[in-house]
Amino acid sequence: MASTEKPLMITSSPHLHCGMNTRGVMLDVLIALLPAAVASVLLFGWRALAVELVCVASCMAAEVLSRAAMKRDQTVGDLSCVVTGLLLAFNLPATMPLWQAALGGVVAIVVAKQMFGGLGQNFVNPALAGRIVLMASFPEAMNNWVVPLTGTGADAVTGATPLAGGTYSLTEMFFGIRGGCLGETCAMALILGGLYLVIRRVISPVTPLVYIGTVFVLSWLLGEDPVRQILSGGLMLGAIFMATDYTTSPINKAGKVVFALGCGALTVLIRRFGSLPEGVSFAIVIMNILVPLIERATRPIPFGEKRRLRREQ
């Protein structure tokens, strides 16, 4: 008679799967970015949508062509390049020339991502790498700020961002009625997206809260208005969507805290003492580079290791 018991399956770990995959995570991130994308179009007009579409298209094309040139399997279907393209667009002004936006997408995907092996191998956030290259290459275009709700054509009104001396009320800054990059102005939309990611357990709230909290405390100690500093620049966008990137941030809780503290401290120092008014991009990229050291210093001790060491002594 045949045995009714189930056969013993011998497989490598992991034995349980949470049901999430890369495509699902990236789709959740895109859904979380949707409120900010809608807000950018409402605030800056059709030109915002054009910049976003060009960035996404250039990132997708760069991923397909670079993977083909390197004779690697295509990964465009995991949607990570779409997320990179949208985040890059969120870090650009509405008036950015489209060919320059496309160039930023190529740099983000080919240089910062695929040349290091693709998704999971890059050591800095690709969208921020693309933004920094564009800032160094086209500073005038990257600092042409349009006041929301005035259009982006020849009749558009330009003005300073809050960090560059623009005078805006806290209410205007919360709802995005201020100069800035496409995806960074509307704090309300970014918070909605962040709450969605936390509820879906795509990100941990530790990194954003510690990052924003560090900026709040240090700004207050330096005599700045801490609420205005939080609502200014790309702090909310960076803390919620880029400092939480799986590949370029620590995986354990202690490491996340150290990483976020470093991001917050560098952001405040660059804003206060640096030659540029904004420091989020540089702060996150610098801390991205330090992630291996942070993880080594905060690595949890395996269960039983101390007991084993005492026995050996």
Side-chain angles (χ1 to χ4, degrees):
M1 180 183 293
S3 174
T4 58
E5 296 182 1
K6 292 183 179 180
L8 177 63
M9 302 297 291
I10 302 177
T11 58
S12 61
S13 61
H15 304 292
L16 298 176
H17 196 281
C18 66
M20 296 177 66
N21 56 30
T22 302
R23 182 183 175 86
V25 170
M26 295 301 165
L27 185 59
D28 273 335
V29 176
L30 288 173
I31 293 172
L33 290 171
L34 188 58
V38 172
S40 70
V41 176
L42 294 176
L43 293 169
F44 297 104
W46 66 269
R47 195 61 167 65
L49 181 60
V51 172
E52 290 163 2
L53 291 177
V54 166
C55 285
V56 170
S58 66
C59 284
M60 293 179 69
E63 179 125 337
V64 171
L65 294 176
S66 62
R67 299 289 293 188
M70 297 174 184
K71 299 186 183 203
R72 297 172 178 165
D73 294 337
Q74 290 296 334
T75 55
V76 69
D78 63 19
L79 301 180
S80 61
C81 59
V82 180
V83 171
T84 297
L86 195 53
L87 285 175
L88 173 63
F90 280 7
N91 281 277
L92 303 180
T95 54
M96 192 74 185
L98 297 183
W99 72 270
Q100 294 177 6
L103 178 61
V106 173
V107 171
I109 294 297
V110 178
V111 178
K113 181 180 176 185
Q114 295 302 333
M115 289 184 68
F116 291 93
L119 183 66
Q121 304 299 318
N122 51 290
F123 70 97
V124 296
N125 186 284
L128 290 180
R131 180 181 193 268
I132 289 173
V133 168
L134 290 178
M135 286 179 63
S137 304
F138 312 106
E140 185 176 351
M142 286 291 290
N143 288 280
N144 186 23
W145 310 114
V146 173
V147 176
L149 306 177
T150 63
T152 51
D155 58 342
V157 177
T158 59
T161 65
L163 292 174
T167 55
Y168 302 93
S169 68
L170 294 180
T171 301
E172 288 175 326
M173 294 171 69
F174 182 77
F175 289 105
I177 316 299
R178 66 173 178 86
C181 295
L182 294 178
E184 72 180 21
T185 60
C186 186
M188 181 184 67
L190 295 170
I191 292 172
L192 288 175
L195 289 175
Y196 174 81
L197 292 179
V198 171
I199 292 171
R200 292 283 295 170
R201 296 187 177 180
V202 173
I203 66 170
S204 166
V206 172
T207 300
L209 291 178
V210 174
Y211 189 168
I212 295 171
T214 301
V215 172
F216 183 96
V217 172
L218 292 181
S219 298
W220 175 71
L221 291 175
L222 291 173
E224 304 283 350
D225 183 342
V227 178
R228 184 172 293 275
Q229 287 295 314
I230 289 174
L231 297 177
S232 297
L235 177 61
M236 301 289 287
L237 176 64
I240 296 171
F241 290 100
M242 288 179 285
T244 55
D245 177 48
Y246 288 172
T247 305
T248 58
S249 63
I251 59 175
N252 62 74
K253 184 176 289 187
K256 291 179 188 296
V257 171
V258 174
F259 177 82
L261 285 170
C263 287
L266 286 173
T267 298
V268 173
L269 290 175
I270 293 172
R271 285 183 174 184
R272 182 66 184 268
F273 303 108
S275 59
L276 295 173
E278 178 58 291
V280 171
S281 298
F282 293 100
I284 294 176
V285 167
I286 291 171
M287 294 307 297
N288 286 162
I289 297 172
L290 296 178
V291 164
L293 297 177
I294 294 173
E295 290 195 320
R296 185 182 304 173
T298 59
R299 181 175 55 193
I301 299 174
F303 179 74
E305 183 172 313
K306 284 186 176 180
R307 183 182 301 176
R308 185 172 66 250
L309 289 174
R310 287 173 182 172
R311 275 203 227 112
E312 290 174 357
Q313 291 174 352

